[in-house]
Amino acid sequence: MRSPSTAPFIERLSSRGSRVAAFVILAVLVAPMLVIVPLSVTSGTLLIYPIPGLSGRWYEEFFTDALWVDATWNSIVIAIPTTALATALGTSAALGLNRLRSRLAPAITVFLITPIIVPIIIYGVAAFYYFSRIGISGTYLGLVVGHTVLAIPFVVVTVNASLKNFDPNLLRAALVLGATPRQAFTRVTFPMIFPGVLSGGLFAFVTSFDELILTLFVSSPEQRTLPRQLWSGVQETINPTITAAAVVLMMVSILVMLLAEWIRRRSSKMQGKP
Amino acid sequence: MAVFFAVPIGTFLSRSVDNTELVGMLPNTMDAIESWDGAGLPDEPVFEALGEDFLAITDITAAAGLGRRLNHNITGYRSLVMRTFSGLRDHAGPLGRDELIQIDDRWGEPEFWRVLRQERGTFTSLYLLASLDLENTADGIHRTAPENRLFVDLLTRTLWISLAVTVLCLIFGFPLAYVMAASGPRLSNWILVLVLLPFWTSLLVRTTSWIVLLQRNGLINQLLESLGLIDEPLSLIYNRLGVYIAMTHVLLPFLVLPLFSVMKGVGSDKTRAAAGLGAPPLTVFRRVYLPQVMPGIIAGCSLVFVLSLGYYITPALVGGPRDQMIAHFIAYFTSESVNWGMGASLAGILLLTVVLLYAVLARVIGFDRLKVRQ
């Protein structure tokens, strides 16, 4: 936030030049994604501008072609259990770690979020190797397990953040006023961290829904997900159906992002913060 | 987490030094060859032991596996193993030096025996050395023949591309983060939304967009042609340029977000004081502002650098064969050429680099700042 007193220097440096530069960069950052939106509703078969006319034929193909429909279905079927598992495990891990006053706690937290740090290619290949040995490679179970591992860190991070904002005095107050520990949890702790849990779950969903690298290694053709179908489509021929699929994936991400943002605003309002 | 994350990576990485497959298939030979000093040809008992081990191999897949494994040491071993395997199919009677050499005279060459002697242990350094373009032969460790050198080149290329992408991200990200931090809350919020939008969108979708844009008859070439700037389409994709463009775009938010959060926290008291004391703007920027936002620059740059080291999807889709990074080869060795040892060695090198960089980073600026999303 800018206070009036900081203005002069900032003004001098952020002269018109740097401002223009920033907006050009911003445009370049966003434009490539927007450019494919009109192309997905072209009536022609080529990905060129100006588009000859509007048509929903590529979306129609996307929503009727067995390959794309199956892929979409697979993505949903895998993302839902992944979200549930990752949210449950991540939340309990965060709660447990928060209560653990041991010196090990930070180390465990770091361990829990290592899947973000380790390049996914390594985990993808390793999971392929290990899952084949234990017989879950090429199964839905294998993919759900793999995606859950990748999604847990996001849940741990968001729930941890909401626990940091949580005032432990509230819990003490509830206990003093005669609530059982169980009641205190369900009536006080959980409602307070619920927004964090919810956005963690949203992160988990997007992680699974957009995941490609692990899926490439662990899935068999039967479990081909939307990103995987898009990947093989891009390598063969770029046609407007691919842009339609890309727009659908993009819309899912944007929707989830808006939802997460809405939750964040609501919860900060609830806690009386700006 | 431990079972499904740490254990798979551990077991997979252990493949880089694992030699039990080979020792398990040739147990007698590995015992017998212990007593041979490596000069000339081994004694008769070693030949007999090898014959015995070969007779114990019943199916062709196992023989092919053995051949493939030994072929990693010397090319030509595969055909030697296969010929020996089929030559012994209907074998009866004694089996020693003469019979083996008769099946394939390469058993008369010490070179092939030296490989077996060298690989007699449970662990092998073959793959780790190979991923650094080194080999271990009878006369010690030395560099592989120039025409076989591949991996040092690959590692430097990976580092170079990552470095270039990091610098590009800094060049474009710095002004953006700066303006974001300097704008009023409303504008700054809007810019934040626009930066987060690509951040949340799947990497595959963004790479796809770039393919559409950069293709030979893609939008950028069309635009340049219609403006009369070029006569024929530029090749913007399936080469290094395409990799730089797409990766910089994909990774830019990772630099902007940490840098923005640091810049936002930097007040202007010090810079104003310096300016008030008569320092020219450039000096103020260099001597006062820059040091204050340095943690953000370091965090953002290292994040981009570390992330790009392991990139797979984007280079695979927009790069040419000469622009593939280490991740591509990890994938190649495990899914196409089924050389687990090489795949695991390269993965080990990548993981070690990444972990070291994070450790240094965590030391310098604290672990809490290194969160990838928000």
Side-chain angles (χ1 to χ4, degrees):
Chain A
M1 247 183 256
R2 181 174 66 163
S3 63
S5 62
T6 67
F9 171 71
I10 299 276
E11 226 64 294
R12 202 176 309 159
L13 259 183
S14 74
S15 57
R16 204 152 270 171
S18 75
R19 209 163 249 239
V20 169
F23 285 113
V24 170
I25 295 163
L26 200 58
V28 173
L29 193 61
V30 181
M33 299 162 51
L34 300 180
V35 128
I36 59 168
V37 177
L39 288 175
S40 68
V41 292
T42 180
S43 59
T45 51
L46 293 174
L47 294 170
I48 47 170
Y49 276 110
I51 56 172
L54 294 178
S55 132
R57 60 191 275 210
W58 304 111
Y59 284 94
E60 197 185 316
E61 188 170 329
F62 177 81
F63 285 110
T64 50
D65 183 352
L67 270 178
W68 288 105
V69 173
D70 286 353
T72 312
W73 191 239
N74 275 335
S75 282
I76 296 171
V77 164
I78 292 163
I80 288 174
T82 300
T83 308
L85 260 177
T87 312
L89 294 174
T91 307
S92 19
L95 282 169
L97 281 171
N98 206 36
R99 199 166 305 168
L100 202 64
R101 291 271 169 267
S102 129
R103 292 168 73 194
L104 273 176
I108 300 174
T109 314
V110 170
F111 173 68
L112 282 176
I113 59 176
T114 39
I116 309 187
I117 297 167
V118 173
I120 304 182
I121 182 83
I122 295 180
Y123 182 57
V125 171
F128 170 54
Y129 177 71
Y130 184 71
F131 288 4
S132 318
R133 282 179 145 194
I134 60 173
I136 59 169
S137 179
T139 65
Y140 286 96
L141 179 64
L143 278 176
V144 169
V145 169
H147 284 186
T148 303
V149 168
L150 292 176
I152 284 177
F154 296 113
V155 181
V156 172
V157 167
T158 45
V159 176
N160 246 342
S162 64
L163 279 171
K164 283 216 177 89
N165 289 333
F166 174 68
D167 183 357
N169 284 328
L170 290 174
L171 195 63
R172 265 177 232 139
L175 292 172
V176 167
L177 292 172
T180 63
R182 195 198 170 90
Q183 274 175 326
F185 177 78
T186 51
R187 304 287 292 274
V188 179
T189 313
F190 195 71
M192 290 298 283
I193 63 163
F194 188 63
V197 175
L198 217 53
S199 28
L202 288 172
F203 276 118
F205 184 84
V206 179
T207 306
S208 168
F209 203 76
D210 284 346
E211 210 293 319
L212 171 62
I213 300 180
L214 181 100
T215 313
L216 279 179
F217 288 100
V218 173
S219 70
S220 66
E222 205 188 320
Q223 294 103 34
R224 150 182 295 264
T225 61
L226 203 48
R228 193 178 162 173
Q229 179 62 29
L230 186 60
W231 158 265
S232 39
V234 169
Q235 287 182 319
E236 286 153 24
T237 46
I238 297 262
N239 64 35
T241 320
I242 285 172
T243 57
V247 171
V248 170
L249 266 176
M250 200 160 90
M251 286 305 158
V252 171
S253 312
I254 292 176
L255 209 71
V256 171
M257 169 183 156
L258 291 177
L259 213 58
E261 184 60 22
W262 182 71
I263 292 169
R264 198 184 61 82
R265 294 228 168 135
R266 254 186 75 105
S267 77
S268 50
K269 229 179 249 165
M270 254 169 56
Q271 292 177 356
K273 285 179 199 153
Chain B
M1 272 297 285
V3 175
F4 290 107
F5 181 73
V7 172
I9 290 186
T11 42
F12 170 63
L13 289 181
S14 72
R15 284 299 302 249
S16 63
V17 292
D18 182 35
N19 203 30
T20 44
E21 188 190 337
L22 180 63
V23 178
M25 286 190 80
L26 302 173
N28 299 315
T29 318
M30 294 309 181
D31 276 346
I33 211 158
E34 198 80 43
S35 57
W36 176 47
D37 62 355
L41 276 177
D43 298 330
E44 187 64 23
V46 182
F47 278 93
E48 280 167 15
L50 184 76
E52 207 176 310
D53 285 334
F54 259 97
L55 287 177
I57 301 172
T58 46
D59 71 310
I60 189 145
T61 346
L66 178 66
R68 194 174 58 222
R69 165 63 187 84
L70 286 170
N71 216 45
H72 295 154
N73 284 73
I74 313 185
T75 343
Y77 229 125
R78 191 200 312 256
S79 69
L80 173 59
V81 168
M82 293 320 282
R83 187 147 6 138
T84 314
F85 176 71
S86 52
L88 284 173
R89 211 161 242 180
D90 316 305
H91 185 83
L95 185 55
R97 177 191 302 215
D98 299 338
E99 290 79 9
L100 279 171
I101 293 180
Q102 206 190 339
I103 291 169
D104 193 315
D105 53 19
R106 279 176 289 182
W107 287 123
E109 290 170 26
E111 194 192 355
F112 289 93
W113 288 101
R114 269 190 226 120
V115 168
L116 290 180
R117 181 170 179 272
Q118 185 193 318
E119 298 291 332
R120 66 185 184 272
T122 333
F123 298 106
T124 177
S125 58
L126 170 72
Y127 306 113
L128 281 175
L129 289 175
S131 43
L132 297 169
D133 284 343
L134 297 171
E135 59 186 3
N136 187 2
T137 56
D139 27 292
I141 295 172
H142 59 85
R143 298 192 65 186
T144 42
E147 67 272 16
N148 294 334
R149 281 177 205 162
L150 170 68
F151 295 107
V152 170
D153 190 33
L154 168 68
L155 297 176
T156 39
R157 187 196 311 157
T158 305
L159 290 174
W160 173 250
I161 294 180
S162 305
L163 195 67
V165 168
T166 309
V167 171
L168 287 171
C169 279
L170 183 62
I171 293 173
F172 294 118
F174 192 89
L176 186 55
Y178 181 78
V179 170
M180 245 167 109
S183 307
R186 261 186 94 83
L187 186 60
S188 157
N189 248 339
W190 271 107
I191 303 179
L192 188 63
V193 168
L194 290 181
V195 173
L196 282 173
L197 190 73
F199 190 56
W200 271 75
T201 309
S202 134
L203 168 118
L204 181 61
V205 170
R206 283 185 285 160
T207 309
T208 311
S209 308
W210 277 111
I211 299 176
V212 173
L213 282 168
L214 298 175
Q215 278 183 88
R216 206 173 157 70
N217 50 4
L219 293 172
I220 296 200
N221 271 322
Q222 268 182 303
L223 188 71
L224 292 176
E225 257 175 305
S226 64
L227 290 175
L229 289 173
I230 50 169
D231 295 327
E232 55 180 72
L234 303 171
S235 39
L236 300 167
I237 200 173
Y238 308 124
N239 55 27
R240 192 62 64 84
L241 184 64
V243 175
Y244 288 148
I245 296 177
M247 280 184 68
T248 304
H249 178 252
V250 168
L251 291 167
L252 192 55
F254 290 98
L255 186 124
V256 172
L257 295 173
L259 188 54
F260 165 66
S261 70
V262 171
M263 281 178 168
K264 221 171 97 177
V266 169
S268 64
D269 311 357
K270 297 195 179 78
T271 43
R272 274 190 305 136
L277 292 171
L282 204 65
T283 314
V284 175
F285 177 76
R286 204 165 47 86
R287 302 281 299 272
V288 183
Y289 188 67
L290 216 51
Q292 290 187 82
V293 296
M294 210 32 122
I297 295 179
I298 295 173
C301 285
S302 357
L303 198 55
V304 169
F305 185 74
V306 170
L307 286 171
S308 53
L309 281 180
Y311 252 49
Y312 176 57
I313 306 282
T314 310
L317 289 178
V318 300
R322 299 270 316 137
D323 312 311
Q324 298 305 323
M325 300 166 74
I326 191 167
H328 172 83
F329 284 82
I330 297 174
Y332 167 79
F333 277 120
T334 51
S335 60
E336 278 165 62
S337 83
V338 201
N339 185 342
W340 290 103
M342 278 313 294
S345 290
L346 290 175
I349 292 176
L350 174 60
L351 187 61
L352 192 70
T353 319
V354 167
V355 167
L356 279 179
L357 279 171
Y358 266 108
V360 170
L361 206 57
R363 245 314 117 87
V364 177
I365 55 173
F367 204 83
D368 284 348
R369 291 241 175 103
L370 299 181
K371 277 159 198 164
V372 178
R373 278 190 173 176
Q374 285 190 346

